[in-house]
Amino acid sequence: DTGVSQNPRHKITKRGQNVTFRCDPISEHNRLYWYRQTLGQGPEFLTYFQNEAQLEKSRLLSDRFSAERPKGSFSTLEIQRTEQGDSAMYLCASSLGLGPAYEQYFGPGTRLTVT
Amino acid sequence: AQKITQTQPGMFVQEKEAVTLDCTYDTSDPSYGLFWYKQPSSGEMIFLIYQGSYDQQNATEGRYSLNFQKARKSANLVISASQLGDSAMYFCAMREGEGYGQNFVFGPGTRLSVLP
């Protein structure tokens, strides 16, 4: 399967702990996105990479959140000192960035529960 | 202000019937794109259809078509011959300009239930 993969699929953590999620995009895709989705809402943009460069971060993104894409392939999203409000589905998507549609292919998501 | 509005939190349709899911958008950018995604209970977002702001004809992809009314800023998704497997959340999304990052936004979604 050559789709976008995310690990872990589920993560339960205690408030105050750090967590890290991984995303492996489709291999030839140079653009990678992270979104957060809470129950009953659409995905909300967090950050975006073109190759290894992080080009944009959400204005709403706390400094407890950091993301990397060190070699322009997989990406990690770390949340430090987790809070209960961080409980959500974290979605990763990738795209080629070519053509007008800029279709994004999504992974299955990582569901985070902060207790 | 909401950039994407989906006024139907939930919709029901009888199997084999057609259904229209509403989406209105707000942008002042002359170049934009509109997308529909399906999210089944498994959680994965599945791309369905795309409409560019300069496209003259409504987009179609199999049983999906997009009713694009530019002056009204609406981009409704029409699903023909509904199937049980169409039961899912449906999200309308918009890309403004180059459309990455802040300029790619999703609506709140509509939950479609297909009845046997």
Side-chain angles (χ1 to χ4, degrees):
Chain A
D1 182 39
T2 57
V4 179
S5 62
Q6 291 186 247
N7 288 288
R9 295 291 307 275
H10 303 273
K11 178 71 177 179
I12 300 173
T13 191
K14 291 187 177 180
R15 189 163 48 107
Q17 297 294 306
N18 299 344
V19 294
T20 300
F21 309 140
R22 176 176 170 129
C23 170
D24 288 87
I26 293 172
S27 59
E28 64 268 27
H29 284 187
N30 61 341
R31 293 184 175 178
L32 188 146
Y33 309 78
W34 284 99
Y35 293 88
R36 176 171 60 193
Q37 186 179 24
T38 53
L39 205 60
Q41 299 295 319
E44 174 190 29
F45 167 76
L46 293 180
T47 190
Y48 153 71
F49 290 85
Q50 180 155 313
N51 300 313
E52 68 276 8
Q54 187 176 19
L55 295 186
E56 197 167 350
K57 290 174 62 173
S58 169
R59 292 180 283 270
L60 304 175
L61 201 61
S62 159
D63 57 8
R64 296 184 296 106
F65 287 70
S66 62
E68 294 183 340
R69 194 182 183 198
K71 296 183 180 179
S73 57
F74 73 92
S75 175
T76 57
L77 176 69
E78 181 183 16
I79 309 174
Q80 296 181 325
R81 305 180 303 281
T82 52
E83 301 173 356
Q84 288 189 321
D86 297 332
S87 295
M89 177 77 87
Y90 290 83
L91 295 168
C92 175
S94 69
S95 75
L96 266 176
L98 299 175
Y102 294 124
E103 176 186 334
Q104 296 185 22
Y105 294 83
F106 282 80
T110 295
R111 183 168 296 284
L112 173 66
T113 302
V114 182
T115 61
Chain B
Q2 291 285 343
K3 292 228 177 217
I4 297 284
T5 302
Q6 294 180 255
T7 58
Q8 307 152 314
M11 288 282 286
F12 291 90
V13 65
Q14 208 69 39
E15 194 178 6
K16 300 179 185 176
E17 298 291 311
V19 63
T20 298
L21 306 183
D22 295 342
C23 172
T24 57
Y25 59 92
D26 182 27
T27 182
S28 56
D29 196 320
S31 174
Y32 56 89
L34 298 155
F35 302 75
W36 278 91
Y37 283 84
K38 172 184 178 181
Q39 188 177 40
S41 56
S42 59
E44 192 160 345
M45 299 282 283
I46 302 167
F47 167 75
L48 296 178
I49 197 167
Y50 164 81
Q51 179 85 42
S53 59
Y54 296 118
D55 293 345
Q56 295 296 312
Q57 293 189 321
N58 288 344
T60 60
E61 288 285 348
R63 294 186 299 110
Y64 304 108
S65 60
L66 201 151
N67 184 1
F68 181 45
Q69 298 188 47
K70 195 169 182 176
R72 296 181 60 187
K73 293 189 175 178
S74 75
N76 299 339
L77 177 70
V78 181
I79 305 175
S80 63
S82 297
Q83 302 172 356
L84 295 178
D86 294 335
S87 294
M89 284 291 289
Y90 288 80
F91 292 97
C92 180
M94 177 175 65
R95 161 188 67 78
E96 293 177 286
E98 285 299 301
Y100 35 79
Q102 318 280 0
N103 293 331
F104 197 101
V105 293
F106 286 81
T110 294
R111 180 171 298 281
L112 177 66
S113 299
V114 180
L115 306 174

